[in-house]
Amino acid sequence: MSKNQIASELSAPKHIAIIMDGNGRWANQRGLPRIAGHRAGAESVRRTVEGCKNLGIKHLTLYAFSSENWKRPESEIKALMQLLERFLKEKTKEMMAHNVRLNAIGRTDMLPKKTCAQLNKAIEKTANNTALTLNLALSYGSREEIVDAAKLIAEKVAAGKLSVDDIDNSTISSHLYTAGQPDPDLLIRTSGEFRLSNFLLWQLSYSEIVILDKFWPDFAESDLYDAVTHFHSRQRRFGAI
Ligand code: FPP
């Protein structure tokens, strides 16, 4: 199915989430340093954002740096942060041209000051764009997100602003970092691993999952279209018959 058919004939998923895995192994296979894999991965990010926009997808969430990634060697963390800064600096113009709004989810206050400043600058600049919301999950862990939501809810209960009896699914959803955005309809993970890796555990409850047996730097626009086509071929019943 062509991308035009996907975009026009079928209702596209509203929200796609991606675990971008395999940058290190991609580099390793080529005898390159791991950062070369991350650099190639950043190019895949650009292609994917463009592809999602072409398909009319309104929300894209990319797992760019997990809370566990802080355990990596300092040199790799530093290189990743520099890559992110450069990406934000260079791509803000493109995001403006394509009407893409940047958002970040995670404990972003843990990022280096310079990275955080660059991130906030891009978020502010693109705040009024409406075609696609690009959520970068940075210093993100889903359990931490749920803990943070529980704390916010507990504070409201303690202050008498919320009654325990009124807490339901929507209360939790509206206190997560993704508050106000629909849950992902589709999760894509590259590099063939069948794991959620502490990513959007609450939000992925009903998502379709596509695992691709290729590394993230090799993820092409055609893989995105195939995943979306596959998504349409699956019947989603949300527990009903
Ligand atoms: C997983 O591959 C990838 C990451 C931990 C970082 C993702 C970063 C990028 C795609 C590039 C920069 C991002 C942006 C938004 C500009 P891995 O390192 O775990 O690979 P491995 O499992 O093969 O070691």
Side-chain angles (χ1 to χ4, degrees), residues 96-137:
M96 290 308 290
H98 289 97
N99 199 13
V100 173
R101 178 172 82 98
L102 182 72
N103 184 43
I105 59 169
R107 292 185 177 162
T108 52
D109 52 332
M110 289 178 71
L111 298 175
K113 268 201 180 80
K114 207 170 151 214
T115 316
C116 212
Q118 197 71 51
L119 179 66
N120 290 333
K121 204 167 148 188
I123 290 174
E124 276 166 35
K125 185 105 202 268
T126 61
N128 294 321
N129 293 344
T130 54
L132 166 72
T133 298
L134 168 62
N135 296 305
L136 289 185

Side-chain angles (χ1 to χ4, degrees), residues 62-200:
L62 301 177
Y63 207 0
F65 193 85
S66 75
S67 43
E68 283 85 13
N69 287 154
W70 290 116
K71 294 181 203 145
R72 293 195 176 196
E74 214 178 303
S75 57
E76 184 171 342
I77 295 175
K78 198 170 165 205
L80 267 170
M81 293 302 146
Q82 281 171 352
L83 181 61
L84 179 64
E85 284 166 31
R86 201 168 336 123
F87 179 89
L88 293 166
K89 209 170 174 178
E90 288 173 11
K91 305 295 176 204
T92 304
K93 230 185 195 168
E94 269 176 56
M95 288 193 266
M96 290 308 290
H98 289 97
N99 199 13
V100 173
R101 178 172 82 98
L102 182 72
N103 184 43
I105 59 169
R107 292 185 177 162
T108 52
D109 52 332
M110 289 178 71
L111 298 175
K113 268 201 180 80
K114 207 170 151 214
T115 316
C116 212
Q118 197 71 51
L119 179 66
N120 290 333
K121 204 167 148 188
I123 290 174
E124 276 166 35
K125 185 105 202 268
T126 61
N128 294 321
N129 293 344
T130 54
L132 166 72
T133 298
L134 168 62
N135 296 305
L136 289 185
L138 292 164
S139 189
Y140 175 89
S142 185
R143 289 186 169 183
E144 289 82 351
E145 177 182 34
I146 293 168
V147 167
D148 286 349
K151 283 183 182 167
L152 288 174
I153 293 168
E155 276 166 16
K156 287 188 185 171
V157 170
K161 290 179 183 158
L162 181 66
S163 138
V164 169
D165 290 338
D166 288 338
I167 297 174
D168 59 12
N169 284 353
S170 71
T171 318
I172 309 291
S173 292
S174 64
H175 288 83
L176 295 172
Y177 306 147
T178 49
Q181 301 193 50
D183 289 337
D185 314 277
L186 172 64
L187 170 73
I188 300 170
R189 179 168 188 149
T190 54
S191 94
E193 312 277 0
F194 288 74
R195 277 196 300 275
L196 287 181
S197 303
N198 203 16
F199 187 47
L200 303 174

